[in-house]
Amino acid sequence: MAMDPAGQTDTGTAGVIARPPLLFLAALLIGFVLDRLLRLPFPVPGAWIIGGLLILIGFALFAAGIRNFMRATTPVPTNEPTRVLVTTGIHGWTRNPIYLGMFLIYGGIGVAAQNIWILALTLPLAILIRYGVVAREEAYLERRFGDAYLDYRQRVRRWL
């Protein structure tokens, strides 16, 4: 983990468009409303098993990312300043384990519910998260941690 650069008093935030859990929740709600208004058959053999596995894997990634942030005593919410650049644990494999976990949970819910609308909304949601959240966070972390973040960004993939 890289500590806050000496003398740096930046208390700004990434300025994301909205809190990511709210974006995922909104997409889920829109998907369920669309399914209610225009039901499209989407039979998936073993939907509960596949969806459940995706949800479990997603929760594991999500929890590992949260645990790393808590151990580093840096806030998880995007509307608070980052204190420490977390680069170890699950963050040594993927720069965004929390968002990756949220996507797996989201997709797992869509599969388990056999809801084509939720799955169809995955692409717009991914674009929104990528450019409205992740890109802003990356720019913020580069400003905040400079070369330490640039080195981390070169070593670890954004998603997998």
Side-chain angles (χ1 to χ4, degrees):
M1 282 176 235
M3 298 304 286
D4 191 6
Q8 186 146 5
T9 58
D10 176 17
T11 58
T13 63
V16 300
I17 59 170
R19 301 278 306 274
L22 296 177
L23 295 172
F24 280 92
L25 181 60
L28 273 175
L29 292 174
I30 291 168
F32 281 120
V33 167
L34 287 171
D35 190 58
R36 180 81 171 168
L37 295 174
L38 181 60
R39 178 98 175 120
L40 296 176
F42 182 59
V44 178
W48 281 99
I49 294 169
I50 296 167
L53 286 173
L54 289 171
I55 292 168
L56 285 174
I57 294 167
F59 270 122
L61 284 170
F62 180 86
I66 298 289
R67 185 178 56 239
N68 264 6
F69 275 41
M70 291 176 74
R71 284 182 180 160
T73 65
T74 196
V76 174
T78 55
N79 60 346
E80 295 181 34
T82 302
R83 290 191 209 99
V84 175
L85 180 61
V86 180
T87 61
T88 59
I90 192 75
H91 286 89
W93 296 344
T94 172
R95 296 195 314 254
N96 295 294
I98 297 170
Y99 300 147
L100 187 55
M102 284 190 215
F103 273 111
L104 289 172
I105 294 166
Y106 176 86
I109 292 169
V111 169
Q114 297 183 35
N115 185 320
I116 193 77
W117 293 107
I118 289 174
L119 298 176
L121 289 170
T122 303
L123 181 59
L125 178 61
I127 292 168
L128 189 62
I129 293 293
R130 168 62 181 91
Y131 293 102
V133 177
V134 173
R136 293 171 187 221
E137 288 178 343
E138 288 176 342
Y140 166 71
L141 292 171
E142 186 176 340
R143 286 191 313 273
R144 181 113 168 107
F145 298 103
D147 289 340
Y149 177 72
L150 293 174
D151 176 59
Y152 172 63
R153 191 174 76 186
Q154 286 202 330
R155 287 184 297 109
V156 179
R157 292 177 181 244
R158 181 180 288 134
W159 299 110
L160 292 176

